[in-house]
Amino acid sequence: MSAMKIGILGSGLMGAKLGRIWAACGHDVTFAYARDRAKLDRLAREAGGAAGTVAEAVEAAEAVLLAVHWSRIEDVLDQAGDLAGMVVLNCCVPLDESNSDLVVGTSTSGAEELLAMRPKARWVSCFNTSPSESFAPVFARKGDGSRPHLLVYGDDAGAKDVAGGLIRDIGFEPLEAGGLRTARFVEPFAMVTAELAYGQPGGPALTYRFEKLRG
């Protein structure tokens, strides 16, 4: 897709790896939100992007990736402002401090909680059902055969279109999974993909592809 200005809110594995690949695709990436500003500067230097505050990253962006631990959500959103009209790609799973249990679910979801916190943002959820270790090999194999799927869900069709382009840039094929309410079921599914990636043999670079059988 054509070059975009992307704010990366979160400097952990998800934000760092996606930001690097998007920068390699020609997007203008700004890294923000880390305990150590030197980490942001290093990421920006390695990726050929920029580093800044959360407010600076959001102000300059056409789309934002939210990639922080659930315990940091309120803090990062306070710094981000109301996000009115902003396309926000959410890859967060609402995990407890030990990363072993969901803190919301079945009757609501992390994605729906985020919508309630920032109702003017254009939310779309993606990337939380594929481990970060898969991103580099998927990107390296882009164009070689069929692409692995990546679940995408949200209520804003335009935001989904933006997310779809960025997902294809990584090398995945976006798989439409319905509205934001689908998060009630996808976020527990993300725990299954984590078990398959980290708890089972074969390494963490897990991908998947769903097929509908005809005839």
Side-chain angles (χ1 to χ4, degrees):
M1 66 182 299
S2 58
M4 293 187 66
K5 294 181 179 179
I6 306 172
I8 307 291
L9 307 187
S11 57
L13 293 175
M14 297 291 283
K17 292 181 180 182
L18 290 172
R20 285 192 184 101
I21 295 175
W22 282 328
C25 291
H27 296 294
D28 185 355
V29 174
T30 299
F31 295 93
Y33 200 74
R35 292 187 177 90
D36 182 4
R37 174 58 189 254
K39 182 178 183 180
L40 295 178
D41 291 335
R42 183 178 71 255
L43 283 172
R45 185 170 59 252
E46 292 171 354
T53 66
V54 171
E56 289 168 344
V58 170
E59 183 179 10
E62 297 169 90
V64 165
L65 175 75
L66 181 63
V68 302
H69 192 273
W70 192 253
S71 62
R72 309 302 299 171
I73 286 293
E74 289 189 12
D75 183 45
V76 72
L77 289 182
D78 283 346
Q79 297 180 46
D82 65 9
L83 295 170
M86 179 64 67
V87 173
V88 185
L89 281 65
N90 166 43
C91 67
C92 301
V93 177
L95 292 168
D96 62 11
E97 292 281 1
S98 68
N99 292 325
S100 58
D101 288 301
L102 296 172
V103 295
V104 297
T106 67
S107 61
T108 184
S109 64
E112 291 168 283
E113 295 294 309
L114 290 170
L115 174 62
M117 293 178 202
R118 291 296 184 274
K120 297 180 181 179
R122 301 175 63 191
W123 291 100
V124 54
S125 289
C126 49
F127 289 112
N128 57 6
T129 57
S130 187
S132 64
E133 289 85 355
S134 72
F135 300 157
V138 167
F139 182 62
R141 298 171 189 173
K142 187 167 68 170
D144 296 340
S146 63
R147 295 172 176 237
H149 277 143
L150 190 77
L151 297 181
V152 182
Y153 46 103
D155 298 329
D156 188 309
K160 283 183 179 177
D161 287 342
V162 172
L166 293 172
I167 288 165
R168 292 185 183 95
D169 280 346
I170 302 295
F172 291 94
E173 183 64 28
L175 180 61
E176 171 64 52
L180 207 63
R181 188 179 185 276
T182 304
R184 300 180 186 188
F185 318 110
V186 176
E187 288 168 2
F189 173 68
M191 303 296 283
V192 178
T193 62
E195 168 61 27
L196 293 172
Y198 304 111
Q200 301 301 320
L206 175 78
T207 62
Y208 53 83
R209 186 170 179 86
F210 295 96
E211 301 289 352
K212 290 187 177 182
L213 302 181
R214 308 291 186 184

